[in-house]
Amino acid sequence: MLREKDLSKELILLEKIVSNILRKEKISLSMDMTAPDVEGWDSLNHVQILFTIEEELGIQFPINEIQNLNTIGDLVKLMNKYM
Amino acid sequence: MKYIIEPPKSWKIKNEKNIEENVYFNLLRKFKESDTIFEIIKKSGEIKKLNKKKCIHLSRNFASEIKKNIQNKNSDDQIKIMGIISASEESVILMLASLYLGAHHCICFEDLSPEAIYQRLDIFKPDIIVCKKDLQKKIESALAKNKVVKTSILVIDIEKIDNLPPQKDKVINYKNNYNLFTLFTSGSTGKPKAIIHGVREYLKYAKITTKYFFGVKRYSKIFTAVDAGWINGHTYAFYGPLLSGGISIINEIPTLISIPRILGKYLNQIRPECFYTSVTLLRLLKSMTKDHEKLSNYSSKDFKIERIGSCGEPLAHHVGKWAIDFFEPSRKSIVNTYFQTETGGILVAPRDEDLAPKDYSCVGKPLKELGLFQAKDLINPEQLAKENIQPNELLVKNYWSGIFNMVVSDKRSKYFTDSGYFRLHDVGYLDDDGYLYIGGRSDDVINVSGHRISTSEIESICLNLDLIKEACAVSASDSLTGEKIVLYLTPSKIICEVNPIIIKIKQTIENKLSKYHLPSRIEFFNELPKTQSGKIMRRIMRDLAENNYFNEKLDYSTLANKENFLKSKELFLNSKKN
């Protein structure tokens, strides 16, 4: 099982992407947060975040896996899986 | 108190007595048993095809389940079914089952808060509520509030329905006084309005407009990528295509479809002739494509879409131009549709015979038979002032068969002028060639991604909080959603920490209304600008929301509380500096 420390690179990248998309100064995320916990992370911004992650990492997430994301931690683990 | 608004007598079709309609049969008769009727992009990513045989099996079985779960219903009364359900395999089977039962259905968005569901239950008073498993708890909490409506909840489970032995109940016909469906929309009072459509005339209009504007015919595919709770989700994703013998594509992944590679993949696999979606989705898609990128970058070169369409809100020219460049459709005009829940179907849209427009924000040329005019062309200035109609508000002179049967509202909503013209409550103009351009709402309704949001809905929720003395919600433009909500508040007492209050306000708005009602910005003033009569000067706040600075060129002459407001202005500017 991945320890949180091992996912810090992905979490930092996600924070950078989310800060850019939501046009805020550095946003702090944690693994147990969900999208509604982050001001401005609505369904439209969610799509742009996913798209930007794919572009940055040169990957394509399978649709069924994107649909099953509940927490920031789920997204970070998904990023790690496909990197 | 509820008001029932109906079109004037002169607009009503003479009721033909003793005519019953087997809508279920009429909708499916153009298809053979093996013909696909729906192609569904499932949440899992797979595409599932439903042929006529499967649709009949599932809908007949589900109709039987619905009937078993309705208690104490007089067999002569029309069944009323509320579905709290997004566009999905479940929503189409529910609608078909409703038609099987000759029922009156009402589809609501899944995103509604329990409070908003309760308001709709109170007006519609369904015999049964249908939803997917994950929404059951939310609806139970809405029902717990509503002690008046006795109704049961039925969870729709396609696999379970499929495995039931074929049920043998007979189809129930629609009688003269039956309604087909209700959809809720926001009005300027803040309470939802029920827009009720009848059977025959609405279906006639759905079929004609689907064929005329989208060219849908037997076996052609139309992908109307909108939610089931919208009028387009009824007219152009369900009724219209079926009546024309066309195949409808239903999308269970609403926002993901705006990712270019995902859209390209599905358009390539499904190959619809027509792709019709919201302006917000087009903008979102545009934000994720690079300059000069085409759909063919994401799909095979041999696939060519015939036509694209847009709906929900005004389309900006640059977005329209981008869409034509990206999709490269055979038809060079976008079916940029203009209509409302109340109109049942498209009133105006560019037609095949219209050439590629100079400006893609144009919605086409209204047909002469409709009689669409600016109010000032039909009504004198004194009468306009008396009826509080803006000179450039759009009016319709002549009956069209898609118009609602009735509206149930808590206000005597002004749908018709004193002289009997239909009011669209949108402003617009016709250019020298007769092409129509829409300016926006003439009432206090904001259009956020196609969702009509009443400013007074939001304001009244804020004013119910002890902390808030005054509230003013206005719109500002947004590159993705078209418009966004900006909320200005004055507190009822001195506040030191603004952020906790903002969080509380947002939570309250989301709990009582929906996430679509959330303001993108909340700002505090010591006092809002008012006229002599104490009315908040919304135009000043709208200008501030749009520009985010005080416009010295605006006319402040009618401002009654100038001194206090200017002090507030200082505070506002100082807080911006900080």
Side-chain angles (χ1 to χ4, degrees), chain A residues 23-24 36 39-40 42-52 54-55 59-67, chain B residues 42-45 252-253 255-256 258-262 265-266 280 284 287-290 449 479-481 506 515:
Chain A
R23 289 185 214 157
K24 301 219 194 271
E39 197 184 333
D42 57 21
S43 57
L44 300 182
N45 285 323
H46 181 72
V47 170
Q48 289 188 308
I49 289 165
L50 288 174
F51 173 75
T52 308
E54 289 189 348
E55 291 279 286
I59 56 179
Q60 289 185 355
F61 295 125
I63 289 169
N64 59 329
E65 293 199 61
I66 309 174
Q67 294 278 76
Chain B
K42 299 290 292 175
K43 276 193 172 149
S44 59
E252 292 187 359
I253 51 167
T255 38
L256 291 185
S258 60
I259 295 179
R261 67 167 180 92
I262 294 179
K265 167 190 152 128
Y266 286 112
T280 295
L284 190 55
S287 73
M288 291 182 282
T289 54
K290 299 183 185 64
S449 295
S479 60
L480 267 187
T481 60
K506 283 189 168 179
K515 61 181 189 189

Side-chain angles (χ1 to χ4, degrees), chain B residues 222-321:
Chain B
I222 177 167
F223 185 173
T224 299
V226 300
D227 206 315
W230 282 29
I231 185 66
N232 328 55
H234 283 46
T235 311
Y236 302 110
F238 189 82
Y239 290 108
L242 266 61
L243 287 165
S244 310
I247 299 166
S248 180
I249 315 305
I250 303 294
N251 179 29
E252 292 187 359
I253 51 167
T255 38
L256 291 185
I257 205 76
S258 60
I259 295 179
R261 67 167 180 92
I262 294 179
L263 179 65
K265 167 190 152 128
Y266 286 112
L267 289 183
N268 195 46
Q269 263 183 273
I270 296 167
R271 308 216 155 193
E273 278 77 6
C274 178
F275 179 61
Y276 176 46
T277 190
S278 66
V279 173
T280 295
L281 198 138
L282 286 178
R283 282 197 218 103
L284 190 55
L285 181 61
K286 180 175 181 290
S287 73
M288 291 182 282
T289 54
K290 299 183 185 64
D291 285 345
H292 309 300
E293 258 189 340
K294 311 278 179 198
L295 176 65
S296 53
N297 291 123
Y298 301 98
S299 62
S300 64
K301 305 279 182 233
D302 69 319
F303 168 58
K304 190 103 176 147
I305 201 155
E306 192 179 300
R307 162 192 337 236
I308 57 170
S310 68
C311 61
E313 55 192 287
L315 176 72
H317 173 71
H318 70 277
V319 177
K321 186 161 185 319

Side-chain angles (χ1 to χ4, degrees), chain B residues 479-499:
Chain B
S479 60
L480 267 187
T481 60
E483 289 186 275
K484 63 187 175 194
I485 304 162
V486 181
L487 181 59
Y488 295 105
L489 303 166
T490 61
S492 49
K493 52 188 177 189
I494 295 169
I495 48 173
C496 307
E497 280 287 329
V498 155
N499 281 336

Side-chain angles (χ1 to χ4, degrees), chain B residues 16-27:
Chain B
E16 291 164 353
K17 294 209 181 339
N18 302 321
I19 301 283
E20 292 198 357
E21 185 116 9
N22 186 332
V23 175
Y24 185 81
F25 168 74
N26 285 342
L27 233 72

